[in-house]
Amino acid sequence: MRKIIYRFSRATYLDFQATTPTDYRVLDAMLPYLTNQYGNPHSKTHSFGWETEKAVEKARSQIANLINTQPQSIIFTSGATESNNAALKGLYGFYGKQKNHIITSQTEHKCVLDTCRYLEDKGVEVTYLPVDSNGLICLKQLQESIKSNTLCVSVMLVNNEIGVIQNLKEVSRICHERGVYVHSDMAQAIAKIPVDVQDLDIDLGSISAHKLYGPKGIGALYVRRKPRVRLQQIIHGGGQERGLRSGTLAPHLCVGFGKAAEIALTELPYDMQHVDKLYNKLITGIKEKIPQIQINGSLEHRYKGNLNVSFAFVEGESLIMAIKQVAVSSGSACTSASLEPSYVLRALGVQEDMAHTSLRIGIGRFTTEKEIDFLLDQLSSAVKKLREMSPLWEMHQDGIDINKIEWTQPH
Amino acid sequence: MDKQVLKLYKSILRAGNRFRDYNFREYVIRRAKQDFRELQNNPDLKNKVIDKYTKELEVIQRQTIVQNLYYQTNHIIEQKQCNN
């Protein structure tokens, strides 16, 4: 019986904010620890343990070099979600009795917002700062929200949905004047823009390996040592990772993460140059070929590898299905299983219909110019085809203002 | 460019072309061309580039084998090029 093989082609990957491919150099560094060197890094009595411990400590210093700190400040966790949980719950666990007010923003990642909701049930007061239409928090509002019992402020450096870069240095300055801790979810910023935790002056930072071309399943928490930040651990056990995160470390994941960090440090200027070039091509192409678009988020304070665009008079789900051969993310899918548009776009003040048609295009180290050309072709033809079928587009072409229409009969 | 550098450059390009995966292949070739072109303009980077790429060559040779073992199917752009 002959087996029939269906040949299909793989789509272009343009969703670098969701995850990134594992760099071939990272895999090369990981393989020895998945084959011959299988020791437990915490075994102190034989060479199997010593060699893996050496590799893990080397990885730790590679990650510390990337963000300009010492290796002792890095704690390995299972990802940025765990790091965010450990930071907020850890701070509350240690200082929660005297200080129980947390400030965060409305556009944070779900794990931060959900942790805050959990802490609210425990009696913590949480202030969710609104953002302006560019996606940036207002520093004056932050200053006014800080009270005498404020524990910490959590603001992400680069937003995963709209790519906006917050002014974290100013936030840290305002908070440290008043004795408030600063935590930042840096997962989308590391290896994309230069991140220096000494310069940004933050106390806690979350890093995720699979956002910087490393393996999935590992992350890190930066815990400042001077001045010391005390945390209560959320995972109890044998006291590994300075007592802050018990559990056996996975040498292959740590080594992969370290290698990815080392590559990121040396390749950062080239990556940024490459992403800039492709971003300029993309944005001039979109503005030329497709009329009636809206870019969500500030154009000035933005990481160029993340572009969130809304197309007027087009339905979101049908657009995603029409450009099947390009893998992008829509503005609503990654946050909820329901059809509700994304809370980040809602916080920006984007209208419901525009929020439904938003598309998040991610560019990364491995994207080529031909892929951008392909994306522009596919997008322009799909949008044109869908608009031709849309009665709202026809009405717009005839000069009717959609917002002024009375859709229901008055009773 | 002197012989050692030229030989290294050619072996990098030859090894990089063995990647069946479109994105990795394009990346290796693009970066190698960029780095060696920079070396032409700036000859005191010679030792740095030679160090980096002698190590890279081994990594690429190993990884072309491993990545190609798990390669699934071609990229949509490659298929378009085939059809045209």
Side-chain angles (χ1 to χ4, degrees), chain A residues 107-254:
Chain A
T107 54
E108 288 296 302
H109 194 267
K110 259 301 191 185
C111 55
V112 172
L113 295 179
D114 207 46
T115 309
C116 289
R117 205 156 298 138
Y118 165 79
L119 290 174
E120 271 182 335
D121 285 340
K122 292 214 134 188
V124 173
E125 190 198 330
V126 180
T127 306
Y128 298 94
L129 290 175
V131 292
D132 61 17
S133 60
N134 273 330
L136 298 162
I137 56 170
C138 175
L139 294 167
K140 200 154 147 293
Q141 248 181 339
L142 168 68
Q143 205 164 335
E144 284 162 13
S145 322
I146 295 181
K147 304 199 289 210
S148 59
N149 66 335
T150 303
L151 172 60
C152 83
V153 167
S154 174
V155 174
M156 69 196 324
L157 185 49
V158 173
N159 188 289
N160 57 322
E161 283 206 40
I162 50 182
V164 165
I165 305 178
Q166 300 285 353
N167 192 350
L168 200 55
K169 203 164 167 188
E170 269 303 301
V171 170
S172 299
R173 189 188 61 83
I174 296 173
C175 293
H176 285 134
E177 273 172 9
R178 296 163 176 78
V180 176
Y181 288 113
V182 177
H183 162 256
S184 174
D185 180 357
M186 313 187 287
Q188 292 289 345
I190 305 269
K192 312 269 168 73
I193 58 172
V195 175
D196 180 343
V197 293
Q198 310 273 13
D199 185 51
L200 291 173
D201 205 24
I202 57 174
D203 300 297
L204 292 159
S206 310
I207 311 172
S208 177
H210 73 103
K211 301 277 163 44
L212 43 144
Y213 310 93
K216 294 179 200 26
I218 188 140
L221 178 63
Y222 159 69
V223 182
R224 190 178 194 162
R225 299 203 76 202
K226 285 194 178 75
R228 196 107 174 265
V229 178
R230 306 291 301 271
L231 293 180
Q232 189 191 56
Q233 73 270 53
I234 55 172
I235 301 193
H236 297 78
Q240 286 86 8
E241 299 297 288
R242 286 167 52 202
L244 292 174
R245 206 277 184 188
S246 300
T248 304
L249 288 175
H252 62 284
L253 292 177
C254 297

Side-chain angles (χ1 to χ4, degrees), chain A residues 7-13 21-25 27-28 31 263 267 270-271 273-274 325 365-368 370-371 374 378, chain B residues 19 21-24 26-28 30-31 34-35 38 52 56 59-60 62-63 66-67 72-77 79-81:
Chain A
R7 282 196 61 95
F8 63 94
S9 281
R10 284 191 92 204
T12 316
Y13 189 74
T22 310
D23 197 311
Y24 63 92
R25 295 163 284 194
L27 182 65
D28 194 66
L31 282 173
I263 295 171
E267 297 280 310
Y270 299 101
D271 280 348
Q273 205 180 33
H274 182 63
Q325 289 163 326
R365 182 186 289 167
F366 299 109
T367 319
T368 61
K370 289 202 182 124
E371 288 180 319
F374 182 69
Q378 291 273 306
Chain B
F19 270 117
D21 180 82
Y22 171 77
N23 293 98
F24 284 154
E26 293 290 313
Y27 173 74
V28 171
R30 172 174 63 86
R31 283 296 282 122
Q34 200 176 6
D35 271 349
E38 212 181 299
K52 174 182 171 191
E56 272 287 301
V59 172
I60 296 176
R62 277 197 295 264
Q63 282 302 309
V66 173
Q67 300 272 347
Q72 283 200 326
T73 184
N74 60 358
H75 194 274
I76 185 78
I77 292 190
Q79 190 178 65
K80 289 217 158 249
Q81 288 173 342

